[in-house]
Amino acid sequence: MTLTEPTLTPPMAPSTVDMAQIFAAHAARAARIDALRPGNKDRLFDGLMAAGITHVTVTFDGAGDSGQIESIGAWSGETAVEFPETEIEYAALTWDNPEVEMRQLTLEDLVEQLAYDLLSDTHCGWENNDGAYGEFCFDAAARCIHLEFNERFTSSELTTHDF
C-alpha cells in the first residue's frame, strides 16, 4: 500500500467578521439618512415655491441592471416652465465619511437626487432584471412627493395534461 498526501485543504479558520455589527452600522446609517430627508424636502419645496413652480414630474425607467431618470419637467399650474439656476443645500452622507456633507445643487439636480434616493430606499434594485418604470410628482403646494411605481417581471405558468 502506498501512502499519498491528502488532497483536501485544511478547514478555514472561523470568520472574524461580526455580521451583527455590520448590520447594526448599516441600520444606524440608514436612520441618519432618513433623518436628513425632511430638511432636504423642506429646502426643495421652499425653493420650488420661491421660483413659482407648483409641481415637478420625474419619469424613470430601468431594466437589465441599468436605470435612469428619463425626464424632469417643471410646471407652474398647467404651464411648463424652465428650472431657474437657483442652488439649494442638500445634506448627504457619503460612504467614506460619517459627517454630514452639505452640497449645493440646482433645483433640478436636487429633484433628481431625491428621486434616486427615494427609489433606492423604497424599491432597491428597481433597475435590475426586468426592471421597473414610473413617475414621481413633487407637489410644492402640498409639500408631498407621490410615486407611481410599475415593476416588471417575467412570469411562466405550467399547465400539464394527461391524455
Side-chain angles (χ1 to χ4, degrees):
M1 179 160 130
T2 305
L3 292 177
T4 60
E5 292 292 320
T7 57
L8 296 176
T9 58
M12 291 177 52
S15 174
T16 58
V17 175
D18 184 351
M19 290 306 292
Q21 181 183 16
I22 291 171
F23 289 137
H26 177 74
R29 186 175 189 287
R32 290 187 66 210
I33 290 171
D34 287 345
L36 296 176
R37 183 149 306 117
N40 285 331
K41 284 175 51 181
D42 284 343
R43 287 186 292 278
L44 172 66
F45 288 133
D46 290 345
L48 292 173
M49 293 299 287
I53 297 172
T54 57
H55 64 283
V56 175
T57 57
V58 178
T59 61
F60 62 92
D61 193 4
D65 302 336
S66 177
Q68 61 281 329
I69 299 293
E70 296 286 324
S71 68
I72 301 176
W75 304 86
S76 180
E78 298 298 316
T79 305
V81 296
E82 296 294 320
F83 280 97
E85 290 300 316
T86 306
E87 289 194 344
I88 304 292
E89 282 192 322
Y90 170 76
L93 289 180
T94 59
W95 286 105
D96 58 347
N97 187 351
E99 299 302 317
V100 173
E101 178 182 299
M102 296 305 288
R103 302 175 185 166
Q104 292 293 112
L105 300 177
T106 65
L107 274 173
E108 185 173 12
D109 289 343
L110 182 51
V111 167
E112 181 177 5
Q113 183 64 56
L114 283 175
Y116 277 124
D117 290 349
L118 293 169
L119 278 172
S120 177
D121 291 350
T122 59
H123 298 283
C124 185
W126 62 273
E127 72 284 9
N128 292 331
N129 301 322
D130 292 342
Y133 66 96
E135 181 175 82
F136 285 95
C137 181
F138 290 68
D139 185 334
R143 299 182 79 83
C144 73
I145 303 169
H146 177 78
L147 169 61
E148 290 185 359
F149 184 86
N150 301 280
E151 184 173 4
R152 297 183 192 100
F153 58 92
T154 301
S155 176
S156 65
E157 189 173 316
L158 171 65
T159 302
T160 61
H161 300 279
D162 290 325
F163 299 103

